[in-house]
Amino acid sequence: MPAVSAESVRLKRILVYGDSNTFGWIYDPKVGVTRLPVEKTWVRVMADKLGAGYEVEVNALGGRTICRDQRTGIGTGSRIPGPLFNGMTSLPAVLSENLPLDLVIVMLGTNDAKAAFKTTAD
């Protein structure tokens, strides 16, 4: 039986592509919007439960939609053009920059239900 070194075993790579729920933003009426400690975000909890054989990459943007442009918003201290909130606009580049991937988890849709988009559950 051939010997297998730790270096030759490739980790399973997972990309999680989402919005503020994936990022970990939470609303607290006493302080407003804050971020959960990173280790308490659902993505980190999942990664910890999966264990050492997995590498989990996260790409999360508050306000991201499945396929709708938003108004220009503020990101990390700079303006983000509205079309970049459209998940279908940035997904190809995000996939390319994270290859190789074994699994992609898309957690979007919450922002698409905003009243401003005048959409229904259907």
Side-chain angles (χ1 to χ4, degrees):
M1 182 157 81
V4 177
S5 71
E7 292 81 26
S8 67
V9 176
R10 187 174 75 79
L11 299 177
K12 297 284 186 187
R13 289 184 36 82
I14 299 171
L15 169 68
V16 180
Y17 184 72
D19 57 19
S20 60
N21 294 312
T22 300
F23 185 76
W25 287 126
I26 57 170
Y27 175 72
D28 180 334
K30 295 177 186 168
V31 295
V33 177
T34 60
R35 188 180 187 190
L36 286 170
V38 173
E39 66 275 2
K40 294 195 179 222
T41 63
W42 73 265
V43 178
R44 180 62 66 88
V45 171
M46 177 189 73
D48 290 346
K49 291 198 179 287
L50 287 170
Y54 292 84
E55 181 179 7
V56 179
E57 297 291 335
V58 180
N59 188 291
L61 175 63
R64 183 179 277 156
T65 64
I66 295 170
C67 59
R68 292 175 170 78
D69 296 352
Q70 292 267 48
R71 286 179 282 152
T72 296
I74 298 175
T76 55
S78 61
R79 306 289 295 167
I80 299 174
L84 293 181
F85 288 99
N86 181 329
M88 295 308 289
T89 299
S90 57
L91 182 59
V94 172
L95 290 171
S96 294
E97 69 190 17
N98 285 284
L99 293 173
L101 293 165
D102 297 292
L103 177 67
V104 176
I105 298 171
V106 177
M107 175 57 196
L108 291 174
T110 305
N111 293 304
D112 295 87
K114 289 180 177 179
F117 292 129
K118 298 178 177 145
T119 58
T120 65
D122 292 336

